[in-house]
Amino acid sequence: IAESADGPRSAGDLATPVQPYEEVREFFYARHHNLAMLDERAEQIYAQLQATFPPPQTPSAGNLLSALEQRLRNLHGIAVHCEAGSPVAEHPVRHFDARGRTITLGAGLTPGQQAFQLGNQLAFLEMGTMIDGFTHADDFTTAEARNLARIGFANHFAGALVLPNRIFQDTAEELRYDIDLLSERFGVGFETVGHRLSTMRHAHGQSIPFFFVRVDRAGNMSKRQSSADFQFSRTGGTCPLWNVYEAFFQPGKILTQLSRMP
């Protein structure tokens, strides 16, 4: 499938300097995204937020977004503003003005995406000390790697807040892991559900291991992660026999493929 694969680096690999993003990617891969302390804290905060949902306190992106805006306003004195109109490529999806105590969200974001962005900012506001402790305790070799790791930890926390472990896992089993139904239930996109499924096998010992890959037509991977061991390519291209590439010619259709790995 590839020239080499993720896992312990060999002596030959060590001759090539590890880029900061590779260092961080391998950190998360080695732990199968098992970040229990962040997951548990996200569940605790979600429970507090859910208590403010209107009856019957149904999990939804809209309810969570309103609760997050209220928490930011009441606990941190931060107001949230959303830009109107169509998204602009060069504009950030989230801008925090620490002096003005405002968060501005980019135009065109869905309620689920807005909730994720506010959850990400909440991670730095309320979990900053814990996240900084993680980045220094694990001996990242450069400041750039530590900064990338901080973003990774904050993103994980935000994902666990929008799709909290127990509620999401129970719903996934109830809906037989139908990603479209899960997207509809929680008000998030297909990719968000797939992303979360690939980060939470540790939540329940018997849950299904998911592997997540985002690729373009040329085979370039822009995101990859897994909740169990999977031999992702470190260098070179991916296997051309994967039918993921056929998906570009059949949009909106779920394609399946049976494969056997060594």
Side-chain angles (χ1 to χ4, degrees):
I1 289 180
E3 294 175 18
S4 62
D6 281 339
R9 295 174 69 86
S10 67
D13 292 331
L14 297 177
T16 304
V18 180
Q19 296 299 314
Y21 76 90
E22 292 178 312
E23 183 179 354
V24 173
R25 184 179 65 197
E26 292 185 16
F27 168 86
F28 284 106
Y29 173 81
R31 289 157 181 79
H32 297 156
H33 291 264
N34 186 352
L35 305 174
M37 294 178 67
L38 288 176
D39 282 316
E40 290 169 6
R41 185 60 183 141
E43 281 195 290
Q44 293 169 2
I45 293 178
Y46 184 89
Q48 297 169 7
L49 296 171
Q50 191 176 18
T52 69
F53 291 1
Q57 298 183 332
T58 304
S60 72
N63 285 340
L64 179 59
L65 177 60
S66 297
L68 281 168
E69 290 176 346
Q70 181 179 333
R71 185 182 184 94
L72 287 164
R73 182 173 58 252
N74 294 343
L75 293 187
H76 303 284
I78 295 173
V80 178
H81 301 293
C82 300
E83 293 182 342
S86 301
V88 180
E90 61 269 20
H91 287 189
V93 293
R94 183 186 79 252
H95 173 70
F96 176 47
D97 180 358
R99 178 173 296 181
R101 307 305 290 171
T102 59
I103 297 174
T104 302
L105 298 176
L109 298 179
T110 66
Q113 291 170 327
Q114 291 176 341
F116 178 85
Q117 291 301 325
L118 294 186
N120 194 292
Q121 189 65 61
L122 197 68
F124 292 119
L125 292 169
E126 298 190 15
M127 310 298 295
T129 301
M130 180 184 291
I131 288 174
D132 287 341
F134 291 157
T135 59
H136 287 89
D138 284 287
D139 297 325
F140 292 103
T141 58
T142 65
E144 185 177 355
R146 283 191 292 272
N147 288 334
L148 289 173
R150 289 185 80 247
I151 295 171
F153 288 128
N155 285 341
H156 185 94
F157 175 85
L161 187 62
V162 174
L163 301 172
N165 272 352
R166 246 165 281 179
I167 292 176
F168 183 67
Q169 181 69 52
D170 291 345
T171 306
E173 292 175 359
E174 172 195 340
L175 299 178
R176 300 176 62 81
Y177 294 90
D178 187 309
I179 295 180
D180 285 320
L181 290 179
L182 286 167
S183 299
E184 183 178 345
R185 177 74 63 89
F186 288 94
V188 297
F190 189 98
E191 179 177 339
T192 300
V193 172
H195 187 287
R196 185 65 179 134
L197 286 171
S198 66
T199 65
M200 57 180 299
R201 190 184 182 206
H202 61 277
H204 295 266
Q206 300 303 315
S207 59
I208 298 173
F210 276 86
F211 313 102
F212 181 96
V213 180
R214 186 176 65 192
V215 299
D216 62 16
R217 291 172 187 252
N220 300 307
M221 286 190 182
S222 54
K223 186 186 289 187
R224 64 187 190 182
Q225 59 191 46
S226 64
S227 58
D229 290 325
F230 187 86
Q231 296 300 301
F232 287 120
S233 165
R234 177 183 287 126
T235 60
T238 54
C239 179
L241 299 180
W242 283 7
N243 71 353
V244 63
Y245 303 110
E246 297 179 20
F248 295 103
F249 304 102
Q250 303 180 61
K253 181 180 179 181
I254 300 293
L255 305 181
T256 60
Q257 181 172 18
L258 179 66
S259 60
R260 179 176 297 159
M261 310 298 275

